[in-house]
Amino acid sequence: MGDEKKPKPAASGVWSTVKPFVNGGTSGMLATCVIQPIDMIKVRIQLGQGSAMQVTSNMLKNEGVAAFYKGLSAGLLRQATYTTARLGSFKILTSKAIEANDGKPLPLYQKALCGLTAGAIGATVGSPADLALIRMQADATLPVAQRRHYTNAFHALSRIVSDEGVLALWKGAGPTVVRAMALNMGMLASYDQSVEFFRDSVGLGEAATVLGASSVSGFFAAACSLPFDYVKTQIQKMQPDAEGKYPYTGSVDCAVKTFKSGGPFKFYTGFPVYCVRIAPHVMMTWIFLNQIQKFQQTYGL
């Protein structure tokens, strides 16, 4: 009888390894379902369609409520790849680092390094879905002749591969990875640090700790990442002119031209809406993750 129970530890070991990735992706997808309309408004603002109120009014008038959820399938696919990889990787990296640190809490710089690495891994895995999301959200802003008319994320990915080649799935991957590294350095490191502060130094309960730490995490994620997000969006949505030339040769060229034309504040176009979109998504991701972990602990999963 004892021998028949031997396979269970192996199964448990596999689940304990996979669980951080499953939990991360699930929490990110749940958060995206709530945030998608704000994300759509943010993209339209960055594409120069006016203020948040103007964009919202025009979308409702010209496209209807469904327009706010255009690209949702790509957004969910992005979370299933990007957030699964980054949160899972961060958990694994910090666990290994704590072991190497004799079980002591990690200093902030080590958490930041883990966040940078996790962000790079997640962005590399999730870049194709991110490209599909940006294109689907920007499609209605293009001239009719230039619209791609993607019906869903998988249609977008297949069209990109057939029309532009497999490597086109990673168009703009450079700024995407850099932006993700900046965002996750701010988001992941600040959350862990804030949890330790609110729980151990301030003495807050679990709910208040998660809420406070997730708020701090959302602020730093937005503050660190918006300039990179702006450049990434411009690269991914650019179209060739009549002579076949693109407006930017790469992310550095885009950054230089943007700085020359509008100064440093141009990179923060749409900052209020971006903050409103990033911070709640980060907060809800952490809150959903906390609830998923509590559920698993309750039922021994």
Side-chain angles (χ1 to χ4, degrees):
M1 293 294 292
D3 293 340
E4 293 176 1
K5 296 182 179 181
K6 285 185 178 180
K8 289 187 178 180
S12 177
V14 172
W15 171 237
S16 65
T17 302
V18 173
K19 185 162 68 171
F21 295 91
V22 174
N23 291 353
T26 302
S27 62
M29 292 173 75
L30 291 171
T32 292
C33 290
V34 180
I35 293 300
Q36 179 70 16
I38 301 175
D39 191 36
M40 173 65 79
I41 294 171
K42 182 266 297 183
V43 170
R44 295 290 182 92
I45 291 173
Q46 289 185 332
L47 296 177
Q49 291 197 342
S51 66
M53 289 298 295
Q54 290 173 327
V55 168
T56 303
S57 177
N58 289 336
M59 288 178 68
L60 284 172
K61 180 180 178 180
N62 301 325
E63 304 172 60
V65 176
F68 291 96
Y69 289 91
K70 191 168 187 178
L72 178 61
S73 61
L76 293 175
L77 178 61
R78 180 176 182 268
Q79 294 301 318
T81 52
Y82 168 59
T83 300
T84 295
R86 65 174 174 145
L87 291 187
S89 297
F90 183 72
K91 180 66 175 178
I92 298 297
L93 290 169
T94 52
S95 295
K96 295 295 183 182
I98 290 172
E99 287 180 13
N101 202 31
D102 298 324
K104 299 176 183 177
L106 298 178
L108 182 59
Y109 81 91
Q110 289 188 4
K111 294 173 184 173
L113 289 174
C114 290
L116 284 169
T117 305
I121 294 170
T124 301
V125 174
S127 187
D130 192 55
L131 175 62
L133 174 62
I134 292 294
R135 288 197 177 183
M136 290 179 72
Q137 289 179 329
D139 200 48
T141 69
L142 299 174
V144 176
Q146 295 181 8
R147 293 180 186 177
R148 300 179 175 96
H149 302 290
Y150 298 140
T151 56
N152 56 56
F154 296 103
H155 178 231
L157 293 174
S158 65
R159 279 276 306 280
I160 291 170
V161 171
S162 62
D163 296 345
E164 305 169 51
V166 174
L167 293 181
L169 292 173
W170 281 270
K171 181 180 288 185
T176 298
V177 171
V178 173
R179 181 254 188 188
M181 292 173 69
L183 186 150
N184 285 283
M185 179 185 69
M187 171 184 170
L188 301 176
S190 65
Y191 181 78
D192 269 19
Q193 194 74 16
S194 298
V195 166
E196 293 174 9
F197 174 76
F198 288 127
R199 182 188 60 205
D200 302 333
S201 300
V202 180
L204 296 181
E206 181 183 6
T209 294
V210 172
L211 182 61
S214 62
S215 300
V216 173
S217 176
F219 171 80
F220 279 103
C224 292
S225 64
L226 181 54
F228 302 100
D229 183 79
Y230 181 86
V231 171
K232 174 183 70 70
T233 300
Q234 297 304 308
I235 292 293
Q236 290 185 328
K237 65 97 179 179
M238 65 182 180
Q239 289 276 353
D241 59 20
E243 298 178 355
K245 292 183 178 181
Y246 285 95
Y248 310 113
T249 58
S251 57
V252 175
D253 183 53
C254 177
V256 170
K257 288 180 178 177
T258 299
F259 184 83
K260 287 182 178 180
S261 65
F265 291 108
K266 182 69 174 177
F267 293 102
Y268 285 89
T269 300
F271 180 71
V273 174
Y274 184 78
C275 251
V276 169
R277 182 256 165 182
I278 286 292
H281 191 283
V282 170
M283 291 176 65
M284 283 187 288
T285 298
W286 288 124
I287 291 169
F288 279 128
L289 181 60
N290 177 260
Q291 292 302 306
I292 290 169
Q293 291 171 338
K294 285 179 65 176
F295 176 84
Q296 291 171 340
Q297 290 171 2
T298 300
Y299 293 95
L301 299 176

